[in-house]
């Protein structure tokens, strides 16, 4: 699989069985209503209250320093310097395991009620209908990209995992997220006919790293991998069926950290 991002060619050597996306039995229903002006693109950048995102950034640093303490590491002065503390892939994977998946949003200072209101408005969901994040979110840490390191997931659809179907995704930039490092996606790919995409049959294994979901192996239509621009007080919302990932961090000396959270309809 070869794609270009920020004018940089990324080549992924995929040596696994490849299947057509149209051979996989899954059914996706977008949470965002088709009447919304961003439905056809599959993503939207949203402004949020300044104190909302500041709380998340402060508490995420505190959470990570709790991990550092457990692992007998020096305190992180800034998340952007994470790569200076954790250099090898082995230590990075150990650190990520300690960070854990399925973190309670409250632990990161994330106000679920405020975010749910923002998401419902953006998706055109009626006030009477409820949505929830299942009280879960994840921290993502991407060190500066080297050919021997790939902290990011490969290009994929979240809907290839049944548990992530019928939801909407939110990307919250915490540290080091800019035009060289933020989440990458392929606009309009959530509406493509499935025969346009081939994927690994099983979860991807690339450069010796086992991932928790399949990878795009080939795309048979014109496309562009982009990084939507976000200001310091903005977040990104996108369809769980859009092709995203492959977000190599092209900053030379800055780690990128973000929070990923999803909402489902009650």
């Amino acid at each position: 699989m070869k794609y270009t991002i920020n004018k940089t060619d990324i080549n992924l050597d995929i040596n696994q069985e490849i299947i057509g996306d149209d051979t996989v039995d899954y059914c996706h229903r977008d949470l965002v209503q088709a009447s919304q002006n961003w439905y056809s693109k599959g993503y939207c950048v949203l402004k949020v209250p300044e104190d909302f995102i500041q709380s998340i950034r402060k508490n995420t640093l505190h959470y990570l320093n709790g991990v550092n303490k457990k692992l007998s590491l020096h305190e992180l002065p800034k998340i952007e310097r994470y790569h200076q503390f954790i250099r090898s892939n082995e230590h990075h994977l150990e650190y990520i395991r300690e960070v854990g998946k399925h973190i309670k949003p409250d632990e990161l200072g994330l106000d679920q009620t405020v975010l749910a209101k923002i998401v419902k408005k953006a998706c055109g969901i009626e006030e009477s209908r409820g949505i929830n994040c299942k009280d879960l979110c994840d921290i993502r840490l991407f060190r500066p990209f080297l050919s021997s390191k790939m902290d990011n997931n490969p290009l994929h659809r979240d809907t290839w995992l049944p548990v992530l179907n019928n939801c909407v995704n939110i990307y919250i930039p915490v540290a080091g997220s800019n035009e060289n490092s933020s989440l990458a996606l392929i606009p309009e790919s959530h509406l493509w006919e499935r025969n346009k995409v081939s994927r690994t049959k099983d979860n991807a294994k690339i450069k010796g790293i086992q991932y928790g979901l399949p990878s795009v192996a080939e795309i048979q239509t014109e496309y562009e991998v982009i990084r939507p621009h976000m200001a310091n007080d903005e977040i990104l919302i996108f369809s769980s069926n859009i092709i995203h990932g492959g977000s190599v961090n092209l900053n030379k000396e800055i780690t990128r950290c973000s929070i990923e959270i999803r909402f489902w309809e009650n």
Side-chain angles (χ1 to χ4, degrees):
M1 176 66 190
K2 179 180 179 180
Y3 62 95
T4 301
I5 184 169
N6 295 83
K7 299 181 180 179
T8 299
D9 290 336
I10 306 296
N11 288 284
L12 301 182
D13 190 14
I14 298 175
N15 296 305
Q16 295 176 250
E17 183 178 353
I18 305 301
I19 60 174
D21 193 20
D22 55 342
T23 67
V24 182
D25 184 21
Y26 67 94
C27 181
H28 172 69
R29 180 178 63 84
D30 263 311
L31 198 60
V32 58
Q33 304 302 296
S35 58
Q36 297 303 98
N37 60 11
W38 60 275
Y39 175 79
S40 61
K41 291 193 305 181
Y43 72 93
C44 178
V45 174
L46 301 172
K47 190 177 181 65
V48 295
E50 188 175 345
D51 58 345
F52 170 82
I53 208 159
Q54 283 180 349
S55 172
I56 294 170
R57 288 169 178 155
K58 176 183 175 181
N59 284 279
T60 301
L61 176 59
H62 178 76
Y63 183 94
L64 292 178
N65 272 321
V67 173
N68 280 36
K69 187 174 182 179
K70 289 181 183 178
L71 296 176
S72 300
L73 297 171
H74 292 296
E75 185 173 290
L76 273 174
K78 291 183 176 182
I79 299 175
E80 291 92 336
R81 291 179 56 188
Y82 165 82
H83 62 284
Q84 297 173 353
F85 291 72
I86 306 294
R87 297 183 181 274
S88 72
N89 287 340
E90 180 183 359
H91 289 154
H92 173 68
L93 292 173
E94 178 188 1
Y95 192 94
I96 294 302
R97 283 192 292 270
E98 190 63 41
V99 168
K101 285 185 172 290
H102 311 318
I103 303 165
K104 289 186 177 296
D106 292 352
E107 293 187 66
L108 304 181
L110 197 164
D111 190 322
Q112 301 176 49
T113 303
V114 169
L115 185 56
K117 288 180 179 178
I118 293 170
V119 170
K120 285 180 70 172
K121 183 177 180 181
C123 291
I125 298 172
E126 295 175 4
E127 190 62 35
S128 59
R129 291 164 57 192
I131 61 173
N132 75 89
C133 66
K134 301 184 179 181
D135 204 25
L136 302 173
C137 67
D138 294 319
I139 294 175
R140 301 282 190 255
L141 287 163
F142 296 169
R143 296 168 295 169
F145 177 70
L146 294 173
S147 59
S148 59
K149 300 176 183 177
M150 195 176 86
D151 297 344
N152 54 281
N153 283 321
L155 290 169
H156 64 279
R157 299 186 196 273
D158 280 0
T159 46
W160 288 338
L161 297 180
V163 70
L164 299 183
N165 215 329
N166 302 330
C167 66
V168 67
N169 294 18
I170 296 92
Y171 169 93
I172 303 174
V174 175
S177 182
N178 56 37
E179 67 276 6
N180 293 317
S181 62
S182 65
L183 181 83
L185 51 77
I186 301 179
E188 302 178 11
S189 58
H190 63 307
L191 299 178
W192 286 351
E193 295 180 6
R194 291 186 186 172
N195 61 8
K196 303 294 185 185
V197 178
S198 297
R199 47 160 278 193
T200 57
K201 179 179 179 181
D202 301 314
N203 290 347
K205 188 172 184 179
I206 302 171
K207 297 182 180 180
I209 298 175
Q210 182 67 61
Y211 293 92
L213 72 183
S215 168
V216 171
E218 185 180 6
I219 297 175
Q220 299 170 3
T221 188
E222 291 187 5
Y223 70 95
E224 181 182 14
V225 181
I226 69 165
R227 299 190 199 262
H229 174 72
M230 282 166 279
N232 201 43
D233 58 349
E234 292 178 326
I235 62 175
L236 178 70
I237 182 171
F238 59 99
S239 166
S240 60
N241 199 44
I242 205 167
I243 295 176
H244 65 285
S247 311
V248 294
N249 178 4
L250 298 176
N251 289 315
K252 291 186 177 180
E253 282 298 330
I254 302 174
T255 289
R256 186 262 266 184
C257 176
S258 57
I259 303 298
E260 187 171 287
I261 187 169
R262 301 174 178 88
F263 279 87
W264 292 259
E265 189 170 3
N266 290 345

